[in-house]
Amino acid sequence: MITASPTQQRRLLDLQEIDTEVRRLGQRRAHLPEQRALDENADTLRRISAEYATGREKLERLERQQLRHENDIAVVESRRRGEEGRMYSGVITSERELDALRSELTSLRARKNELEEALLEVMEQREELESLVGALRERHAELSGRVQELTAARDAAATGIDAELADARARRQAVAAELPEEVRAYYEDLRARKDGVGVAQLQGRTCMGCRLQLTQIELEELHRDAQRGLARCAQCGRILVPLAERQ
């Protein structure tokens, strides 16, 4: 059994009350309506941000493809005009060379047609994607503003709770400092394993931690143990302090 005076046992109950208060305040803060609204909008903003970034990347790729096709068309067209100029200049008189030149011009026209079709397809994709990216940009801006508004509203709603939390934590630190390390560590271990309640008060025969009644024999043993140190509930295993010990 861990030795603890009646006064220290009472202070353990005080510490438990403060811890319960801190937990309650923390839950209130985490479940503010403003926080829920902020979380929902922030999740949507993250999704829209990812879609917007992906859309912009695709649009940039299409822009590069369009520029590449336009440059290739310009090169092919320049070469075609040059070859046509040679053919009609009269410089080439050989029928074989003229046939080869005509074949080359046919290939250049076919290549230009292919590039123009590819360019048209890219331009159509770009136009469609620009519309989507524009809509995502507007939605992103709208959600960003909404998240800023909700963050401010959440912070304003949480101001009072934060002040109460700061006060409760300061009181907890002061009470915990009065307890021996062994007593405090024992309590903290039980609290972690007992759903946040490591010590409870005994009222009559009832443990206020588990709400179960002790038998007469258990009750007598508990009162004896509590005179020397930390007694525990025979039902739930929490530290149990008789009501008479807290006056």
Side-chain angles (χ1 to χ4, degrees), residues 5-161:
S5 68
T7 297
Q8 290 170 341
Q9 293 179 48
R10 291 195 295 271
R11 295 307 274 164
L12 262 183
L13 280 173
D14 293 336
L15 186 61
Q16 178 65 75
E17 287 184 0
I18 296 172
D19 282 334
T20 300
E21 180 184 358
V22 168
R23 186 179 184 183
R24 175 182 57 80
L25 289 169
Q27 290 175 341
R28 275 182 57 197
R29 195 189 194 289
H31 294 87
L32 286 169
E34 294 84 356
Q35 183 66 56
R36 288 196 297 271
L38 174 59
D39 291 342
E40 291 172 1
N41 280 267
D43 287 342
T44 303
L45 176 59
R46 282 190 288 271
R47 178 175 58 80
I48 293 299
S49 295
E51 293 179 7
Y52 181 37
T54 300
R56 285 185 300 173
E57 290 175 2
K58 290 180 178 178
L59 187 58
E60 289 173 359
R61 287 199 298 271
L62 287 175
E63 289 171 350
R64 289 194 295 270
Q65 287 179 13
Q66 179 177 338
L67 180 61
R68 185 165 58 251
H69 288 324
E70 290 172 344
N71 289 337
D72 288 346
I73 289 172
V75 169
V76 171
E77 177 62 14
S78 175
R79 184 175 176 185
R80 184 193 65 80
R81 287 197 300 267
E83 294 299 292
E84 282 188 345
R86 287 180 59 212
M87 187 175 67
Y88 295 117
S89 67
V91 174
I92 301 175
T93 58
S94 169
E95 191 62 30
R96 179 180 297 178
E97 289 184 20
L98 287 172
D99 287 342
L101 193 54
R102 292 188 190 98
S103 176
E104 176 68 11
L105 286 170
T106 299
S107 296
L108 289 171
R109 292 189 188 98
R111 177 57 178 161
K112 182 182 177 183
N113 288 336
E114 291 176 1
L115 289 171
E116 288 176 341
E117 289 178 2
L119 175 61
L120 181 60
E121 181 179 350
V122 168
M123 291 176 67
E124 289 174 348
Q125 292 178 5
R126 180 179 173 182
E127 182 179 0
E128 181 179 347
L129 189 56
E130 282 177 340
S131 177
L132 174 61
V133 169
L136 287 170
R137 183 187 304 112
E138 292 179 3
R139 182 62 172 150
H140 184 273
E142 176 188 346
L143 283 168
S144 296
R146 180 62 176 156
V147 165
Q148 290 180 353
E149 293 174 359
L150 287 170
T151 299
R154 187 277 314 275
D155 292 344
T159 298
I161 297 176

Side-chain angles (χ1 to χ4, degrees), residues 10 96 128 195 197 235 246:
R10 291 195 295 271
R96 179 180 297 178
E128 181 179 347
D195 195 28
V197 180
Q235 307 297 329
R246 198 183 191 202

